[in-house]
């Protein structure tokens, strides 16, 4: 690492969450859950593209949004080169992932959960 770890205060977390909601909507990806923490993000997305593409796209878009607010130097590195991605094939796995993201991260920070139309 050539820079100290990046920490997100409340303002930065809200910007990142809004960026992810916007980008998913623009790409017609279904955002099911997101939780932006002080030093990482958990997200569950339904899309017809590889998870790595979604992850890279969301990182880049969130960085551009943060840069627009001028809170950090534009050259600031914020994200690890990769991250954990996985396919969720079964409804119970998807439900478990959403619960993990929304409810099992400690104190709620910047959180998004899609409304389940089935109840």
């Amino acid at each position: 690492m050539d820079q100290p770890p990046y920490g997100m205060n409340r303002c930065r977390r809200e910007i990142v969450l809004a960026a992810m909601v916007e980008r998913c909507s623009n790409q017609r990806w279904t955002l099911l859950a997101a939780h932006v923490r002080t030093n990482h993000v958990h997200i569950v997305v339904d899309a017809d593209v590889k998870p790595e593409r979604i992850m890279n796209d969301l990182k880049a878009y969130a960085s551009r949004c943060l840069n627009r607010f001028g809170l950090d130097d534009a050259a600031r590195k914020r994200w690890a080169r990769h991250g954990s991605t996985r396919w969720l094939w079964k409804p119970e796995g998807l439900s478990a992932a959403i619960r993990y993201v929304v409810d099992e991260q400690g104190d709620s920070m910047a959180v998004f959960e899609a409304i389940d139309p089935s109840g």
Side-chain angles (χ1 to χ4, degrees), residues 27-81:
Q27 295 294 334
R28 293 188 173 94
W29 300 334
T30 303
L31 178 60
L32 299 171
H35 199 154
V36 183
R37 307 292 296 167
T38 58
N39 63 358
H40 67 284
V41 177
H42 291 274
I43 190 163
V44 180
V45 176
D46 183 12
D48 290 329
V49 297
K50 291 182 179 182
E52 292 78 12
R53 171 165 174 235
I54 295 169
M55 179 184 58
N56 291 333
D57 191 283
L58 292 176
K59 285 182 193 180
Y61 191 74
S63 290
R64 286 194 299 274
C65 289
L66 286 163
N67 287 344
R68 265 186 254 140
F69 279 87
L71 300 173
D72 308 304
D73 183 286
R76 179 64 164 109
K77 293 179 184 175
R78 298 178 178 99
W79 314 108
R81 279 182 85 188

Side-chain angles (χ1 to χ4, degrees), residues 4 8-9 11 19 22 28 31 34-35 39 45 50 53 59 64 70 75 80 83 87 91 95 97-98 101-102 111 117:
M8 291 181 282
N9 60 15
C11 178
E22 180 180 351
R28 293 188 173 94
L31 178 60
H35 199 154
N39 63 358
V45 176
K50 291 182 179 182
R53 171 165 174 235
K59 285 182 193 180
R64 286 194 299 274
W87 294 91
S95 294
I98 292 168
V101 167
V102 173
V111 179

